[in-house]
Amino acid sequence: SINRREAVSLRLLMLIKELIHSVSIPEGVSVDSSSSNVKVSGPRGELSRNFEHTLIKFEQDENVLKIIGNNLRKKEKALIGTWNAHLKNMIQGVDKGFLYEMKIIFAHFPMKVAVKGNIVAIDNFLGEKASRSSAIVGDVKVNVKGDAVTIEGNNIEEVGQTAGNLERATVVKGRDTRVFQDGIYMISKGAAQ
C-alpha cells in the first residue's frame, strides 16, 4: 500500500501542467475578455456568455484569444475544449450568423405552417383538428415559404433549439412511421451569409 505523500505526488503527476487553446478573431469582430462575462461583438450584433473557473484564464493578442489552463484534471481539460467551441460559435454568430433550412413533408393532408409572433403554428397535421405549436427561442427569425422553413439567428443554441422544437412538434405518435412520414425535417445547416 502507498502512503499519503506518494498518493499526493501521483495525483500531481496526473495533472496536465499547461493546456492552451487558441481562437482566431476575424476582422470586424471584437472580443472583450477582461471579466468572466465575455462579450463578442461584430457586424451582426453582440453575444455574451459567462466563463468562470479558477484554473482557466483568457489572454488576448491582436487577433487571437488564448484559453489557458494550468494544473488541470480531465474535467477542466474537457471544459477548455467546451469553452473553445462556445467562443468559436459566438464569433461565427456575430460575424456570419447561422442559417438552418427545414422542409415540410406531407403525403395526404396538406399541412399549414405559419409564424404567429413568437410561435410557429402547425395546422391540419395528419388531418388533426387541433393546431400544434412550436416555440421560437430568443432572437431568431423564422420564415415559411411554400414547403421550406428557414431559421436564422446569431446564437447557435437558440437557432438549434428552435429547429428542434419544430421537429418535435410534428412527431407522429401511435402510427407506423414508415407509412406516416409527415413532419418538418432538417435538410441543411450553415452560415447565414
Side-chain angles (χ1 to χ4, degrees):
S1 71
I2 57 174
N3 63 28
R4 181 172 281 159
R5 189 176 292 150
E6 284 173 340
V8 168
S9 64
L10 266 174
R11 214 172 292 134
L12 287 173
L13 279 174
M14 287 167 35
L15 294 176
I16 300 159
K17 287 282 177 243
E18 188 177 53
L19 182 65
I20 301 172
H21 276 268
S22 296
V23 181
S24 60
I25 304 166
E27 231 175 273
V29 175
S30 65
V31 178
D32 175 19
S33 60
S34 54
S35 68
S36 63
N37 196 31
V38 177
K39 287 185 179 72
V40 180
S41 45
R44 289 179 59 99
E46 188 179 279
L47 290 172
S48 67
R49 192 183 192 110
N50 193 29
F51 296 99
E52 201 170 340
H53 200 283
T54 51
L55 299 174
I56 306 168
K57 63 183 193 289
F58 292 108
E59 264 181 31
Q60 197 169 339
D61 292 332
E62 292 280 312
N63 54 359
V64 174
L65 178 69
K66 288 181 180 168
I67 310 163
I68 301 167
N70 296 310
N71 294 329
L72 308 173
R73 292 189 175 86
K74 242 189 223 177
K75 200 174 180 180
E76 286 87 21
K77 181 189 174 201
L79 190 63
I80 286 184
T82 304
W83 284 14
N84 183 31
H86 282 321
L87 284 163
K88 282 180 179 172
N89 283 336
M90 286 165 74
I91 289 167
Q92 188 186 333
V94 296
D95 188 28
K96 293 186 172 70
F98 295 97
L99 180 73
Y100 284 18
E101 290 176 29
M102 301 183 83
K103 191 173 175 78
I104 300 167
I105 294 169
F106 53 83
H108 189 266
F109 298 101
M111 210 187 310
K112 289 185 203 84
V113 180
V115 179
K116 293 177 182 171
N118 62 349
I119 64 157
V120 178
I122 303 151
D123 293 317
N124 202 33
F125 178 69
L126 293 177
E128 292 173 353
K129 295 282 178 258
S131 179
R132 292 187 178 202
S133 65
S134 163
I136 297 172
V137 182
D139 189 30
V140 174
K141 290 175 187 69
V142 178
N143 279 329
V144 181
K145 196 171 187 182
D147 67 347
V149 179
T150 56
I151 302 166
E152 188 181 340
N154 297 350
N155 188 334
I156 193 170
E157 290 169 22
E158 291 175 355
V159 173
Q161 188 60 58
T162 302
N165 289 349
L166 259 177
E167 238 173 40
R168 199 172 58 221
T170 57
V171 168
V172 177
K173 292 193 179 102
R175 291 187 167 98
D176 188 348
T177 52
R178 292 169 299 181
V179 177
F180 296 92
Q181 295 182 346
D182 298 39
I184 303 173
Y185 301 104
M186 179 75 65
I187 52 171
S188 77
K189 298 177 183 181
Q193 292 175 341

